[in-house]
Amino acid sequence: MRKQTTPDNQLQVDHPDGSGYLPGLAIDMVIFGFHEKQLKVLLLEYQNTNLLGLPAGFIKEKENLNEAAKRALTHRTGLHNIYLEQYYVFGDYSRFDPEPLRKILKSKGMNPGDDHWLLKRFVSVGFYALVDFTKAVPSPDLLSERCDWYDLANLPPLMLDHQAMIEKALETLRANLDRKLIGFNLLPETFTMGDLQSLYETILGEKLNRTSFQRKILSLDILERLEKKWTGGAHKAPYLYRFRQSREVAVPEKSFL
Amino acid sequence: MRKQTTPDNQLQVDHPDGSGYLPGLAIDMVIFGFHEKQLKVLLLEYQNTNLLGLPAGFIKEKENLNEAAKRALTHRTGLHNIYLEQYYVFGDYSRFDPEPLRKILKSKGMNPGDDHWLLKRFVSVGFYALVDFTKAVPSPDLLSERCDWYDLANLPPLMLDHQAMIEKALETLRANLDRKLIGFNLLPETFTMGDLQSLYETILGEKLNRTSFQRKILSLDILERLEKKWTGGAHKAPYLYRFRQSREVAVPEKSFL
């Protein structure tokens, strides 16, 4: 009856004390993609519950926190070596609400008691990831029916505090965009100057001047210019560019002084 | 026999399951101060163990994570309304080492079993705080004998991964220094331009040009100039300044574009 065979099927959701996982600590992931001038996030859909939420993960007893996040990210996207960063720990008591999880477990035919490990208070470490939309293959987890991209600009209602988690992740992405040049992780390997400007505009939520954007980006000396993009009408074909550095590596920060 | 009477004496260190606290989750705090051109951090000293470490905290069952950090910070410094920020979650399995805590508990006359809550694996949320050195009144916790300032440039060996926690906090402080102008939290209410430059130089670990530092800082329009500082020889007395904004409020970030 199980729909997938990825290794996190090992998750003992039906084990009342979650044997093998750290208690009370979860991971939630805001996985950003960029496609057709839209920022997108991956969401899980839970059948027969009307619930939608962020991909989550748990930490094995002898596993590193960051490794657990990488593992969950790989399972949801099929991708390795993705830009992934801790950005905030969501630890308010008010986020404790066992009802959505109880509904999900019941929809799977379980009848969990109040002391089931998944129904206790969780503190959640928020991670955000930047993936190449064209390469990700979204895949649901053991409790969900679908995993799919949703436009950030037009999100449906989400379970628990997942909307706030996404907002905080976007805020962090904006703040880090210049400093670490991490936006490049959202583009395919080659892209036009227009693609890059469109990405910056979408993340920052504002229009940028074309000439000064281009001048500024080129002055950073981080792009390699390739051949022109073949568009049929060769006359106005734009150049393709590639990011010089390994995209996981942050560019050294400049001080304002 | 207890040396202090602050409310965190409620901590049930001698209760084997830590009743009342979230399991496996701790807070560690890098509390920065600035004095005589030195960055300093607060450390706890544990008698008869040769152990030194960062102030820590635990989260009550119905308490917000950030509130728990504020509570611990207030207990260690006597101060309220301090700049305090989450900066990283330390969650590697390799940091799990029950021996230092066992030594500390034994030095207090306890003989904890292997399943004592304090001897299990902890994931720790790192917070850093910026305090006005002249106002803080360091105070030890229930398990420690002393709480005192140490020069960051000359730290003794620390327990567990606390050295790495301090390094990561300093790295974050440097990265956020301009963006959020948070350095002001380390100065007394009024200061000279020389004090401010000295603070920036100490945090960044490099000398800055006096004229351009002053021009840049004044161009931000965040300082209010007060009377001259009385130094006896009135001729060369420097002006005193005050930060215009509430010091907990971050200044809006500027994009490089």
Side-chain angles (χ1 to χ4, degrees):
Chain A
M1 293 295 289
R2 289 182 176 178
K3 287 200 175 177
Q4 7 146 220
T5 53
T6 53
D8 67 346
N9 272 353
Q10 294 162 4
L11 186 63
Q12 302 277 307
V13 286
D14 44 359
H15 193 298
D17 74 355
S19 197
Y21 290 86
L22 297 187
L25 193 62
I27 286 165
D28 280 294
M29 292 188 300
V30 181
I31 305 172
F32 288 111
F34 183 66
H35 187 60
E36 293 182 344
K37 306 198 175 192
Q38 292 283 337
L39 264 184
K40 293 171 182 281
V41 289
L42 272 186
L43 297 178
L44 295 175
E45 302 169 36
Y46 299 93
Q47 207 171 37
N48 300 324
T49 62
N50 268 327
L51 291 169
L52 269 168
L54 292 170
F58 302 98
I59 305 112
K60 294 178 187 171
E61 271 174 4
K62 298 193 174 180
E63 186 178 37
N64 295 342
L65 168 67
N66 292 340
E67 294 303 320
K70 275 186 211 165
R71 179 172 52 79
L73 181 59
T74 295
H75 290 152
R76 292 294 76 68
T77 63
L79 300 175
H80 293 268
N81 298 320
I82 291 178
Y83 187 92
L84 176 70
E85 191 169 325
Q86 296 180 7
Y87 70 96
Y88 196 72
V89 186
F90 297 87
D92 278 2
Y93 180 67
S94 63
R95 66 187 304 275
F96 173 44
D97 173 8
E99 289 319 311
L101 241 321
R102 192 193 306 273
K103 240 170 130 175
I104 289 169
L105 292 175
K106 282 191 170 171
S107 81
K108 295 300 221 183
M110 287 178 249
N111 194 12
D114 283 344
D115 59 349
H116 189 284
W117 70 290
L118 282 172
L119 303 185
K120 292 186 178 165
R121 176 183 175 186
F122 275 85
V123 168
S124 186
V125 183
F127 282 81
Y128 74 96
L130 305 178
V131 311
D132 178 347
F133 179 91
T134 62
K135 292 201 179 132
V137 183
S139 156
D141 66 7
L142 185 61
L143 291 172
S144 56
E145 253 57 47
R146 291 188 62 206
C147 180
D148 219 337
W149 292 105
Y150 283 75
D151 281 0
L152 196 65
N154 194 20
L155 286 178
L158 303 180
M159 61 190 275
L160 298 170
D161 54 351
H162 290 192
Q163 174 77 35
M165 286 178 163
I166 292 175
E167 283 163 16
K168 185 94 179 168
L170 181 60
E171 197 182 289
T172 309
L173 174 58
R174 281 180 179 151
N176 287 342
L177 187 59
D178 297 342
R179 214 157 53 98
K180 302 190 180 178
L181 296 172
I182 50 180
F184 289 91
N185 292 285
L186 289 164
L187 292 171
E189 172 128 4
T190 64
F191 46 85
T192 66
M193 191 58 71
D195 294 335
L196 185 57
Q197 179 170 346
S198 165
L199 170 69
Y200 267 72
E201 288 178 339
T202 305
I203 294 175
L204 296 172
E206 54 182 86
K207 287 280 167 201
L208 302 170
N209 177 279
R210 188 169 161 277
T211 311
S212 56
F213 177 82
Q214 181 157 344
R215 189 189 315 120
K216 186 80 197 194
I217 284 285
L218 291 177
S219 78
L220 297 174
D221 200 28
I222 50 172
L223 295 181
E224 183 181 351
R225 198 172 80 175
L226 307 168
E227 73 281 14
K228 289 197 173 191
K229 185 177 178 179
W230 189 81
T231 55
H235 194 55
K236 290 179 114 182
Y239 281 103
L240 286 173
Y241 291 86
R242 180 163 59 195
F243 195 50
R244 263 190 224 284
Q245 302 184 248
S246 154
R247 295 196 288 180
E248 286 80 40
V249 176
V251 169
E253 293 157 20
K254 293 187 204 166
S255 169
F256 93 113
L257 289 170
Chain B
M1 292 295 288
R2 290 183 177 179
K3 288 199 172 177
Q4 19 147 210
T5 53
T6 53
D8 66 347
N9 273 353
Q10 294 162 4
L11 186 65
Q12 301 277 306
V13 286
D14 45 358
H15 193 299
D17 73 355
S19 198
Y21 289 86
L22 297 188
L25 194 62
I27 287 165
D28 279 295
M29 292 187 301
V30 181
I31 305 172
F32 289 109
F34 183 67
H35 187 60
E36 293 180 346
K37 307 199 176 192
Q38 293 284 337
L39 263 184
K40 293 171 182 280
V41 290
L42 272 186
L43 297 178
L44 295 176
E45 301 169 37
Y46 299 93
Q47 207 170 37
N48 300 325
T49 62
N50 269 327
L51 290 168
L52 269 168
L54 292 170
F58 302 98
I59 305 112
K60 295 179 187 172
E61 272 174 4
K62 299 193 174 180
E63 185 178 39
N64 296 341
L65 168 67
N66 292 340
E67 293 304 320
K70 274 187 211 165
R71 178 172 53 79
L73 181 59
T74 295
H75 290 153
R76 293 293 75 69
T77 63
L79 299 175
H80 294 269
N81 298 322
I82 290 178
Y83 187 93
L84 175 70
E85 192 170 325
Q86 296 180 6
Y87 71 96
Y88 197 72
V89 185
F90 297 86
D92 278 1
Y93 180 66
S94 64
R95 68 187 303 275
F96 173 44
D97 173 8
E99 289 320 310
L101 240 321
R102 193 194 305 275
K103 238 169 132 175
I104 290 168
L105 292 175
K106 282 191 172 171
S107 81
K108 294 300 221 183
M110 288 178 250
N111 193 12
D114 283 343
D115 60 348
H116 189 284
W117 70 291
L118 282 173
L119 304 185
K120 292 185 179 165
R121 175 183 176 186
F122 274 85
V123 168
S124 185
V125 183
F127 283 80
Y128 75 94
L130 305 178
V131 312
D132 178 346
F133 179 91
T134 62
K135 292 199 178 134
V137 182
S139 156
D141 66 8
L142 185 60
L143 290 172
S144 56
E145 253 57 46
R146 291 188 63 206
C147 181
D148 220 337
W149 293 105
Y150 283 75
D151 282 0
L152 196 64
N154 194 20
L155 287 179
L158 303 181
M159 61 191 274
L160 298 170
D161 55 350
H162 290 191
Q163 174 76 35
M165 286 177 162
I166 292 174
E167 282 162 19
K168 184 96 180 166
L170 181 60
E171 195 182 293
T172 309
L173 174 57
R174 281 181 180 152
N176 288 342
L177 187 60
D178 296 342
R179 215 157 53 100
K180 302 189 178 176
L181 295 173
I182 51 181
F184 289 91
N185 293 285
L186 289 165
L187 292 172
E189 173 131 2
T190 64
F191 45 85
T192 67
M193 191 57 72
D195 294 335
L196 184 58
Q197 179 169 346
S198 164
L199 170 68
Y200 267 72
E201 288 178 338
T202 305
I203 294 176
L204 296 172
E206 54 183 270
K207 287 281 168 201
L208 302 169
N209 176 279
R210 188 169 161 277
T211 311
S212 57
F213 176 84
Q214 181 158 344
R215 190 189 314 121
K216 186 80 197 195
I217 284 284
L218 291 177
S219 77
L220 298 174
D221 201 27
I222 51 172
L223 295 182
E224 183 181 352
R225 198 171 81 173
L226 308 168
E227 73 281 15
K228 288 197 173 192
K229 185 177 178 179
W230 188 81
T231 54
H235 195 55
K236 291 180 114 182
Y239 281 103
L240 286 173
Y241 291 87
R242 179 163 59 194
F243 195 51
R244 263 190 224 284
Q245 302 183 248
S246 154
R247 295 195 289 178
E248 286 80 39
V249 176
V251 169
E253 292 157 21
K254 293 187 203 164
S255 170
F256 93 115
L257 288 170

